[in-house]
């Protein structure tokens, strides 16, 4: 750790307040600093602030590792890895996130478990340089039957990294199945979205089953994460997605659980909502779980998209109906989501009660000083 990076007052305040990122615009001077290396952070008064990964290729140029004067070596990483694993309560037959990047003080590292298969991502330049170490440590500490790399997120390109995917240790037996809330779900660690499933929604899937009733519309259903559990309390579920492979996986999940009251529809969600609205059809429950509508701080387009689907959903809900609406767009804040819902309700002349404001599953903890980790919203509302 010979490199040093000096940051301005704004960057200094961010670090002192606990935020783990320093942006390129806050850097005033670099000394012997190379991409991927661990450097010393100096305040605008040239005082020691901590150590960080350095990457001049990224807008997020510094990722803070520690604010103590301590060795950042293999033992440092091992301690943090073990602590993160010990904080989890993992079901051996289920799926869970074991390491959640900055929230576990391991910036850029994601580790997910699907039974005895481990899927990992190294999403920062510095963490990617340690990839071999993490693979060895995962094998040593978790003893999986397979380790899968899913380094495809677009953020890697912003870090100056290439996209990579494959089995790096062991082998996959097919099919791989996990248990979630007493139901069996197929997982494809190599081809499925993210690392195989939307683990961050697992507790929201269970909560949705408590609220759903009557005729249910599940839009952007993906592999049936919501459709499978809510079918238990529904008369009928209409599950809509534009992806044929996703619907095929949903069908497998439905058949595996002997569920017969779910109708699969290959269609665009916006068109589907518009069609139901025009025909004045009604549902007792509508679930909206769209992909991210925004990847930058320019949110006007995303707001239009969110308002369109929520407004249409409110119009087709019967009195007393339940709207379960989600957003995983990091830059679309809870306040923005609230304002959008309020405007949609006003435009549709519907009165709504907010029953719950939920977030990601508890194995995706939010770091209080890092609002970016609070990216997932799941609001449960009732039309009165």
């Amino acid at each position: 750790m010979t490199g040093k990076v000096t940051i301005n007052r704004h960057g200094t305040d961010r670090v002192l307040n606990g935020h783990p990122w320093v942006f390129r615009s806050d850097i005033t001077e670099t000394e012997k600093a190379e991409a991927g290396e661990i450097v010393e952070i100096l305040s605008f008064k040239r005082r020691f602030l901590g150590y960080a990964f350095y990457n001049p290729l990224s807008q997020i140029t510094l990722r803070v590792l520690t604010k103590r004067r301590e060795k950042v070596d293999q033992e440092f990483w091992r301690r943090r890895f073990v602590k993160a694993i010990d904080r989890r309560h993992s079901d051996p037959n289920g799926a869970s996130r074991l390491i959640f990047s900055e929230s576990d003080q391991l910036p850029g590292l994601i580790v997910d478990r699907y039974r005895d298969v481990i899927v990992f991502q190294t999403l920062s330049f510095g963490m990617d340089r340690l990839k071999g170490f993490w693979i060895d440590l995962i094998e040593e500490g978790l003893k999986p039957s397979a380790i899968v790399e899913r380094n495809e997120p677009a953020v890697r390109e912003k870090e100056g990294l290439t996209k990579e995917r494959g089995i790096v240790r062991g082998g996959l037996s097919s099919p791989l199945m996990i248990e979630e809330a007493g139901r069996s779900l197929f997982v494809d660690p190599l081809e499925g979205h993210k690392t195989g499933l939307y683990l961050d929604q697992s507790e929201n899937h269970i909560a949705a089953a408590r609220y759903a009733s009557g005729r249910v519309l599940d839009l952007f259903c993906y592999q049936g994460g919501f459709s499978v559990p809510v079918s238990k309390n529904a008369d009928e579920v209409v599950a809509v997605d534009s992806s044929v492979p996703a619907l095929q996986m949903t069908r497998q999940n439905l058949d595996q659980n002997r569920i017969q009251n779910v109708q699969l529809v290959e269609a665009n969600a916006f068109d589907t909502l518009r069609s139901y609205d025009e025909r004045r059809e009604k549902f007792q429950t509508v679930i909206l779980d769209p992909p991210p509508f925004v990847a930058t701080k320019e949110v006007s387009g995303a707001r239009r998209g969110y308002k369109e689907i929520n407004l249409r959903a409110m119009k087709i809900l019967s009195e007393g109906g339940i709207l379960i609406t989600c957003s995983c767009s990091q830059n679309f804040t809870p306040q923005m989501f609230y304002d959008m819902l309020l405007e949609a309700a006003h435009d549709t002349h519907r009165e709504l009660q907010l029953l719950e404001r939920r977030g990601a599953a508890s194995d995706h903890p939010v770091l209080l000083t890092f609002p970016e980790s609070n990216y997932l919203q799941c609001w449960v509302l009732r039309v009165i």
Side-chain angles (χ1 to χ4, degrees):
M1 293 184 289
T2 59
K4 296 181 179 181
V5 176
T6 304
I7 59 179
N8 63 17
R9 182 186 290 272
H10 181 259
T12 297
D13 289 342
R14 281 172 67 85
V15 173
L16 291 175
N17 288 329
H19 200 287
W21 292 351
V22 177
F23 294 99
R24 184 187 296 158
S25 57
D26 290 328
I27 291 173
T28 58
E29 185 181 347
T30 60
E31 178 184 341
K32 297 181 181 178
E34 296 185 13
E37 288 192 337
I38 297 168
V39 299
E40 188 174 323
I41 314 168
L42 300 178
S43 74
F44 69 101
K45 293 183 178 180
R46 301 286 293 179
R47 292 175 181 169
F48 173 82
L49 292 175
Y51 296 109
F53 280 139
Y54 173 69
N55 185 6
L57 304 174
S58 173
Q59 289 288 342
I60 306 169
T61 305
L62 295 176
R63 294 176 186 265
V64 180
L65 304 175
T66 177
K67 290 190 278 188
R68 299 176 180 174
R69 284 196 179 274
E70 59 182 322
K71 272 189 176 181
V72 183
D73 54 11
Q74 289 192 356
E75 187 54 37
F76 171 91
W77 296 120
R78 188 185 301 273
R79 286 196 306 269
R80 291 209 168 169
F81 179 88
V82 170
K83 284 181 180 179
I85 302 297
D86 287 348
R87 285 192 286 262
R88 267 54 175 198
H89 302 284
S90 183
D91 177 0
N93 296 318
S96 60
R97 174 146 295 180
L98 301 181
I99 294 176
F100 186 34
S101 197
E102 278 85 355
S103 286
D104 284 307
Q105 298 180 303
L106 291 164
L109 181 65
I110 301 291
V111 178
D112 291 340
R113 184 209 298 273
Y114 298 101
R115 295 181 73 104
D116 62 348
V117 173
I118 297 296
V119 184
F120 78 92
Q121 297 173 317
T122 46
L123 304 179
S124 66
F125 200 107
M127 201 58 81
D128 194 66
R129 291 184 64 177
L130 296 169
K131 186 194 300 185
F133 169 76
W134 292 120
I135 293 171
D136 289 342
L137 189 56
I138 287 168
E139 187 168 46
E140 171 194 325
L142 301 175
K143 297 179 172 52
S145 63
I147 302 176
V148 178
E149 176 181 9
R150 288 297 300 270
N151 273 325
E152 303 142 291
V155 67
R156 278 180 61 92
E157 295 179 336
K158 296 177 181 179
E159 288 283 308
L161 300 168
T162 59
K163 294 185 179 183
E164 298 175 343
R165 171 177 62 176
I167 301 171
V168 297
R169 297 280 170 89
L172 292 174
S173 59
S174 184
L176 175 62
M177 297 182 61
I178 60 100
E179 298 292 324
E180 183 180 284
R183 300 291 183 123
S184 299
L185 296 175
F186 287 93
V187 183
D188 189 341
L190 275 173
E191 301 293 339
H193 287 193
K194 301 184 89 171
T195 64
L197 287 179
Y198 288 108
L199 293 180
D200 50 4
Q201 287 281 31
S202 61
E203 293 174 10
N204 295 329
H205 295 158
I206 297 167
R210 299 198 302 266
Y211 290 102
S213 65
R215 192 182 185 205
V216 177
L217 177 61
D218 179 13
L219 290 162
F220 312 96
C221 71
Y222 183 44
Q223 296 179 352
F226 281 104
S227 291
V228 168
V230 303
S231 65
K232 178 181 178 181
N233 298 321
D235 297 332
E236 174 195 11
V237 179
V238 180
V240 179
D241 204 287
S242 59
S243 167
V244 172
L247 292 174
Q248 289 172 341
M249 185 68 82
T250 302
R251 172 50 61 197
Q252 291 182 51
N253 286 329
L254 295 172
D255 292 345
Q256 177 65 28
N257 293 283
R258 299 180 181 179
I259 297 171
Q260 298 181 334
N261 63 336
V262 178
Q263 173 192 354
L264 301 183
V265 177
E266 179 195 347
N268 175 279
F270 288 84
D271 294 340
T272 300
L273 279 167
R274 194 174 299 111
S275 176
Y276 281 130
D277 181 20
E278 290 171 352
R279 299 201 304 266
R280 302 195 176 195
E281 293 198 40
K282 295 294 182 182
F283 290 84
Q284 281 71 51
T285 311
V286 176
I287 301 168
L288 303 174
D289 185 21
F293 283 171
V294 60
T296 68
K297 292 187 177 181
E298 174 48 57
V299 299
S300 57
R303 191 180 194 284
R304 288 192 294 272
Y306 282 121
K307 183 181 176 183
E308 170 72 10
I309 59 173
N310 281 277
L311 183 148
R312 297 280 183 181
M314 291 175 190
K315 291 178 74 173
I316 64 174
L317 277 167
S318 57
E319 186 175 345
I322 297 292
L323 172 62
I324 301 169
T325 179
C326 306
S327 165
C328 59
S329 298
Q330 183 185 89
N331 291 305
F332 202 72
T333 66
Q335 185 62 51
M336 293 175 185
F337 204 70
Y338 171 82
D339 292 341
M340 175 277 300
L341 287 171
L342 198 63
E343 188 175 315
H346 178 269
D347 290 353
T348 54
H349 307 290
R350 308 300 310 256
E351 293 284 350
L352 291 103
Q353 294 174 328
L354 175 60
L355 304 180
E356 279 198 74
R357 277 180 57 175
R358 305 178 57 86
S362 54
D363 56 8
H364 291 62
V366 172
L367 188 64
L368 287 183
T369 55
F370 183 49
E372 290 83 353
S373 60
N374 188 24
Y375 68 97
L376 180 63
Q377 301 174 64
C378 179
W379 296 49
V380 183
L381 304 111
R382 177 191 290 130
V383 176
I384 61 170

